[in-house]
Amino acid sequence: MSNSSSITHFLLLPFSGTRQLQLLHFCLFLAIYLVALLGNGLIITTIAWDHHLHTPMYFFLLNLSFLDLGVISTIVPKSMANSLWDTRDISYAGCVVQVVVFVFLVTAEFYLLTIMSYDRYVAICRPLHYETLLGSRVCLHLAAAAWAFGVLNALLHTANTFSLPLCQGNAVDQFFCEIPQILKLSCSTSYLRELCLLVVTVSFSSVCFVLIVVSYVQIFRAVLRIPSQQGRHKAFTTCLPHLAVVSLFISTVFFAYLKPPSISSSSLDLVLSILYSVVPPAVNPLIYSLRNQALKAALSKLIPGCFQKQ
């Protein structure tokens, strides 16, 4: 039996025991990581460069791209290095840093997606009050609140998790340090405090989820009342990318953390963690830019010939 004071490192879950598959995992994650860096980097550069995109919607998208870059950079490089060098190790301090940064970024991203839903609601349902309700100062305060809640949530969970005595060894059943998997290493009754904190977090997240659903119900009702087909199409093109991003993120996160223990398995946990932590940062730039004419036009000016105006 071991305890947290004697643990100097953790063992992460390997993707495969064979060298060929480890190298394949390295190449796949490298490709996804480069796509995420390129896509989010282009969005950040384009929004910062083009003054026509200095609006609330693109300001929040800018923040989302920063968070996506942070999420994938927190977990993927270490996993790639482990596969490349055929190791499973992560230091105790490295695991703590990975948990606090990852929880901070994911929490901030969830709150930011809620704010972005409110932005779309105001833009479509209350367009005459848009500049009043979402002025530059309000946008800054909303974005700062999302980041601040992320920091607070991360510090509480990390401090609570790593204060628990660990009695079940040091092998984490995930490819990065994730709180539910670390809790499985704790003593049988000592994790109840962290579970209570998780319940509080889930409760706040559920409120955000309800706000997102209500926002989009109101948005769709307003869009369907628009008389012209062109007007409805324009409204949908500004909302559907965000709805796709929200659906992918929330569905995978909620299922990963709230699924019944009876269907839990290492392979399922691995797939779900990839879906909510690795896939969104890579596909979000594509989702947002695919049907967004303003963003495509700005990108075509920044990188001539890459996009054709439609």
Side-chain angles (χ1 to χ4, degrees):
M1 234 162 119
S2 62
N3 55 58
S4 55
S5 62
S6 63
I7 292 177
T8 59
H9 69 280
F10 291 93
L11 300 176
L12 299 176
L13 180 69
F15 276 82
S16 175
T18 62
R19 188 61 184 150
Q20 291 80 3
L21 291 178
Q22 286 178 342
L23 293 176
L24 176 62
H25 157 249
F26 170 81
C27 293
L28 288 175
F29 264 33
L30 177 61
I32 293 173
Y33 188 50
L34 292 177
V35 168
L37 289 178
L38 177 62
N40 288 287
L42 280 175
I43 285 183
I44 291 170
T45 304
T46 303
I47 294 175
W49 171 77
D50 194 327
H51 69 276
H52 294 103
L53 301 181
H54 293 176
T55 64
M57 182 177 78
Y58 294 105
F59 170 73
F60 294 132
L61 180 56
L62 179 75
N63 279 264
L64 181 66
S65 292
F66 274 118
L67 291 172
D68 278 340
L69 280 178
V71 169
I72 198 168
S73 298
T74 301
I75 59 176
V76 166
K78 178 59 181 174
S79 180
M80 289 166 49
N82 281 1
S83 290
L84 184 62
W85 302 115
D86 192 19
T87 182
R88 299 174 56 190
D89 288 4
I90 183 171
S91 67
Y92 188 92
C95 188
V96 173
V97 171
Q98 199 172 67
V99 167
V100 70
V101 174
F102 182 76
V103 174
F104 152 58
L105 293 169
V106 170
T107 303
E109 182 162 337
F110 186 61
Y111 286 129
L112 185 66
L113 289 173
T114 306
I115 294 168
M116 293 173 76
S117 298
Y118 173 70
D119 167 70
R120 291 300 83 208
Y121 162 76
V122 175
I124 292 176
C125 299
R126 305 186 66 183
L128 298 179
H129 302 279
Y130 187 71
E131 293 186 2
T132 303
L133 295 174
L134 284 168
S136 57
R137 181 171 295 183
V138 174
C139 290
L140 286 172
H141 288 167
L142 289 173
W147 289 73
F149 276 121
V151 171
L152 178 62
N153 191 51
L155 291 176
L156 288 174
H157 281 290
T158 305
N160 207 28
T161 299
F162 287 96
S163 67
L164 301 175
L166 305 180
C167 308
Q168 308 296 328
N170 66 339
V172 179
D173 200 22
Q174 188 55 273
F175 76 97
F176 66 97
C177 287
E178 190 182 40
I179 287 178
Q181 303 303 329
I182 296 174
L183 290 180
K184 292 180 181 179
L185 305 179
S186 64
C187 300
S188 58
T189 58
S190 60
Y191 61 84
L192 294 178
R193 184 177 57 189
E194 173 60 17
L195 285 180
C196 292
L197 189 56
L198 284 172
V199 169
V200 174
T201 302
V202 170
S203 300
F204 278 108
S205 300
S206 299
V207 172
C208 291
F209 176 72
V210 170
L211 291 175
I212 291 172
V213 171
V214 171
S215 295
Y216 271 96
V217 168
Q218 296 299 319
I219 287 171
F220 285 128
R221 288 177 60 186
V223 170
L224 293 175
R225 288 197 298 265
I226 297 176
S228 68
Q229 184 177 356
Q230 184 179 3
R232 288 195 299 270
H233 176 75
K234 183 178 180 181
F236 275 126
T237 55
T238 63
C239 295
L240 291 182
H242 179 255
L243 185 59
V245 170
V246 168
S247 300
L248 174 63
F249 183 78
I250 292 180
S251 60
T252 51
V253 168
F254 273 37
F255 189 69
Y257 287 96
L258 301 178
K259 67 181 181 301
S262 58
I263 65 171
S264 181
S265 66
S266 296
S267 57
L268 179 60
D269 291 343
L270 185 64
V271 170
L272 289 173
S273 65
I274 292 174
L275 286 176
Y276 81 80
S277 63
V278 177
V279 174
V283 301
N284 284 355
L286 179 63
I287 292 174
Y288 275 107
S289 62
L290 197 60
R291 297 176 63 87
N292 190 310
Q293 297 301 323
L295 191 57
K296 288 169 69 174
L299 279 168
S300 68
K301 294 176 184 177
L302 185 65
I303 310 175
C306 287
F307 289 85
Q308 292 181 350
K309 293 184 179 181
Q310 299 176 0

